[in-house]
Amino acid sequence: MELLFVILAGLIMGGVARYLFPLRDTHGVVLLPAVGAITSAVIWEILTWLGWAWSDGWIWVVTLVVTALVVGITAPVLGRVRRDHDRAQLTALLSRKARA
């Protein structure tokens, strides 16, 4: 049951991050919530495999902080990389059209 709550928290963090960071038009609506959900689930499972109890507050803190960091880093980096790739692709297409 706790894993469900952690995944839901990751989904919410990703959804909020989508609207907090610029360049949201460079990726899909579901991408950042999916990154948040997957990250929170993986971190939670790793910590439980390491023996951290779900009733301990630190598993919650570490999982949610790491998820927030991953989503917070992924959102701007993804937007910048996608924007630069789209510009390079447009330049290549326009130069090919000019040569033809």
Side-chain angles (χ1 to χ4, degrees), residues 2 5 15 19-20 29 54 56 61 63 65 73 84 87 91 96-98:
E2 289 76 20
F5 293 135
Y19 296 102
L20 285 180
V29 175
W54 64 267
D56 186 21
V61 171
T63 301
V65 167
I73 291 170
D84 295 344
R87 284 182 183 168
T91 303
R96 187 180 308 163
K97 183 179 178 183

Side-chain angles (χ1 to χ4, degrees), residues 5 7 30 39 55-56 94:
F5 293 135
I7 292 172
V30 182
T39 302
S55 58
D56 186 21
L94 291 175

Side-chain angles (χ1 to χ4, degrees), residues 17-19 21-29 31-32 75 78-80 82-83 86-87:
R18 172 163 170 74
Y19 296 102
F21 291 97
L23 301 173
R24 72 179 67 96
D25 58 334
T26 60
H27 48 79
V29 175
L31 183 61
L32 287 177
L78 180 68
R80 245 181 282 124
R82 180 63 189 264
R83 179 195 60 204
D86 288 352
R87 284 182 183 168

